[in-house]
Amino acid sequence: MGLTGLEIFKQLPKTNCKDCGQPTCLAFAMSLAGGKASLDACPHVSAAAREALDSASAPPIALVKIGVGDNAIQLGNETVLFRHDKRFEHKAGIAVSVCDTMSADEIAAKVDQVNKLVFDRVGQTHNVNLVAVGNCSGDAGKFAVAVKVAAEKSNFPLVLMSEDASAVEKALEITAAKKPLVCGANAANVEAMTNLAKKFDVPLVIKGADLNELATLVEKVVGMGHKQLIIDSGAREVNKVMADQTQLRRQALKKFRPFGYPTIAFADNADAFQAVVDAGVYIAKYASIVVIESADPADVLPLITLRLNIYTDPQKPIAVESKIYEIGNVTADSPVFVTTNFSLTYFCVAGDVESSRVPGYILPVDTDGISVMTGWAAGKFTPEKITDMLQNTGIADKVKHRKVIIPGGVAVLSGKLGELSGWEILVGPRESSGIASFLKQRWA
Amino acid sequence: MILIGERINGMFKDIREGILGKDPAPIKHWAKRQFESGAHYLDVNTGPTVEAQDQPAVMEWLVNICNETVPLPCCVDSTNPDAIEAGCSANKHGKVMINSTHADQWKMDLYLPMAAKYNAAIIGLAMNESGVPKSASDRAALAMEIVVNADMHGVPMEDLYIDPLMLPANVAQEHGIEVLEAIRQIKALAPGVRTTLGLSNTSQRCTNRHLLNRTFLIMCMAVGLDSAIADVDDEALVDAVAAANILLNKDIYCDSFLKTFRQR
């Protein structure tokens, strides 16, 4: 999105002096918007205006990196309010917190637990991203010890949660090389914190008492020359957090620069169920980092799953793994269905096989996640591929019969498929909703 | 796509006779008929036969009849500022629309404050006293004048409808492609600014008027046209708009999209 003529015109000196070669400032703004002129042609434009125009052409939400190496995470660069408009770009980071009031052994044990929060979802691994160390004791020495233990144990980047600049400085001396996130600055400590973040070149959380104070503080920090920021409106009740998160994203997309940074939210409800639900809201509503207290896999798995779903690209078809699926209590006599691995197709067929009350096997052929008819038209749902599945998945060892049911839409494949595979091909109904009656008539 | 029904205009014989005979029947008839055809606004114009001093009262009378008949806002169409003001204060449904100002300073200074005062939408013609510009970029430059002035008067961009002015295809054929390019450029002038078109001009004194009108309308929609003053009695035109809305992903598709569009 380029700059509009009006946005440029508002930044021009409005002298109409013609030094740029255009008859008026308005005409000059128009040619800038059209990419036909350069701002350098105007000798009277102020430094502030130049800065405003430069930053306006930057992405609406800055990209901020936390940590180093393989486990570093990138946040921000989001461009939409709704995922269906385009996509959500950078998965929210999930941070699990430990407190410096815990003993070194307790901290080490909990960080170990966090390291193990790695889950296998649809053939990919997903994990939490950060360990947040809280300065709950208020003591700089204790905080340094806790940070040291966490930094040695953790596979993931750290979030240093303290509003005491001297405590943060000690912690940074231990772990600055790993680029932790400092959390953070507020109205009272903003200068000291910003100077530390600049000195150690680490990202910094800015917390305002409300949106207005947040905007003021961010402008101050940017004015001091630090731009690796994560922002926090200070809200803690879920409804208020959600309202603020929405405002932050909305204003950022409208190019309100002080809110053009990723956000952090805290799901610290004492009730574990409530904390997970709260964190779910924050994942859906624009938070770039969500800090939780629980390292219990049962609490984290639903959040990992929700995050994965929310951050998938709606424009790319979603595929299921291409393998044998057993629906119900299958036996060696159960029917075998072939379909494609487009998730919509697979779940349609799976649902209808289930409701037919006849246990069955489903083999979704890998068509790169496209549907039966699309896959057939694209040459991705072929007799060769289906034969490959029948021979190499082990389905032949699971059933005594050699009959396979194919979708009615690709009846034309049956001859070639029969020859290639040696299986008897039954042409099923065109729609999977016909599976139940098809089985009644054809599968004794 | 916002459709502004053009039919309540003193240029048409039945409306003119209604005005002169103080008979609301033809006005009511066309208000209702255009509403049912899918209009979002009713353009209201006293026509040139009404004396200048009578225009405000006639405008008020017309707007009142429209308001009583259907729940649509009026698009107050006049070259007489007093008639525009009378129409603005009479309008009771939704957001009234002023038709129109052009890019001359004296006219903008008159109508933009009026739009701000009545919280009205306003149509800005991309022309000035020297006439309709030829090229797309000249149209956009005049549009920019209106945009900047609207911004100064606090008229939100979403309430500003710029009309790049289409001329008849038989005598000014080369303007069509310039208008399309102008719409593209106007959409880039300011965030949220809207566009409109006096569509029937396209086919003035041509044959196959309906075909020319609807073909040009959907071409314009593809490059960002937001509204048009048009003959909504032309069923094929409204069908084409409904179809274009689907193809531009503005309305969610359903099998009965023609009916759904008309139900607003």
Side-chain angles (χ1 to χ4, degrees), chain A residues 3-7 9-10 26 30, chain B residues 140-141 144-145 148 151 188-189 191:
Chain A
L3 279 171
T4 61
L6 184 64
E7 286 163 329
F9 177 72
K10 282 180 168 178
L26 189 46
M30 298 276 294
Chain B
M144 189 65 193
E145 299 278 354
V148 169
D151 187 58
L189 292 178

Side-chain angles (χ1 to χ4, degrees), chain B residues 80-92:
Chain B
N80 178 333
D82 297 330
I84 295 260
E85 183 125 26
C88 282
S89 45
N91 182 75
K92 288 176 212 58

Side-chain angles (χ1 to χ4, degrees), chain B residues 44-243:
Chain B
V44 177
N45 186 321
T46 64
T49 46
V50 178
E51 292 291 336
Q53 71 268 19
D54 302 332
Q55 282 174 358
V58 172
M59 182 63 86
E60 191 179 340
W61 181 76
L62 288 169
V63 170
N64 283 334
I65 294 168
C66 290
N67 279 183
E68 284 156 22
T69 314
V70 291
L72 290 183
C74 289
C75 173
V76 188
D77 183 358
S78 178
T79 50
N80 178 333
D82 297 330
I84 295 260
E85 183 125 26
C88 282
S89 45
N91 182 75
K92 288 176 212 58
H93 301 299
K95 185 186 277 287
V96 70
M97 191 182 281
I98 294 173
N99 184 3
S100 59
T101 179
H102 52 49
D104 282 307
Q105 199 61 47
W106 68 270
K107 212 163 180 183
M108 293 191 290
D109 290 343
L110 186 66
Y111 287 116
L112 288 166
M114 203 185 284
K117 176 179 166 187
Y118 289 98
N119 184 23
I122 180 164
I123 295 174
L125 307 182
M127 65 178 287
N128 54 18
E129 282 168 326
S130 41
V132 175
K134 168 77 206 307
S135 74
S137 51
D138 288 350
R139 282 176 160 95
L142 289 172
M144 189 65 193
E145 299 278 354
I146 303 172
V147 163
V148 169
N149 277 273
D151 187 58
M152 281 183 339
H153 284 290
V155 174
M157 287 302 127
E158 288 74 15
D159 289 346
L160 180 61
Y161 291 76
I162 304 280
D163 182 344
L165 291 154
M166 184 54 183
L167 298 175
N170 55 353
V171 295
Q173 223 180 316
E174 64 283 0
H175 278 265
I177 200 158
E178 300 293 338
V179 166
L180 291 169
E181 179 53 30
I183 291 170
R184 233 192 278 267
Q185 290 184 18
I186 290 162
K187 291 303 285 181
L189 292 178
V193 69
R194 301 195 195 199
T195 49
T196 192
L197 203 61
L199 186 68
S200 299
N201 276 350
T202 308
S203 61
Q204 215 54 269
R205 299 186 169 274
C206 301
T207 57
N208 298 306
R209 290 196 66 180
H210 286 337
L211 176 64
L212 287 167
N213 288 347
R214 73 172 177 268
T215 304
F216 193 59
L217 180 58
I218 55 183
M219 287 161 85
C220 289
M221 284 176 73
V223 293
L225 186 72
D226 301 292
S227 73
I229 304 168
D231 173 9
V232 294
D233 208 42
D234 172 0
E235 200 171 326
L237 178 120
V238 180
D239 285 354
V241 169

Side-chain angles (χ1 to χ4, degrees), chain A residues 375-387:
Chain A
W376 173 66
K380 291 182 177 173
F381 193 47
T382 59
E384 290 77 6
K385 275 194 155 177
I386 300 170
T387 300

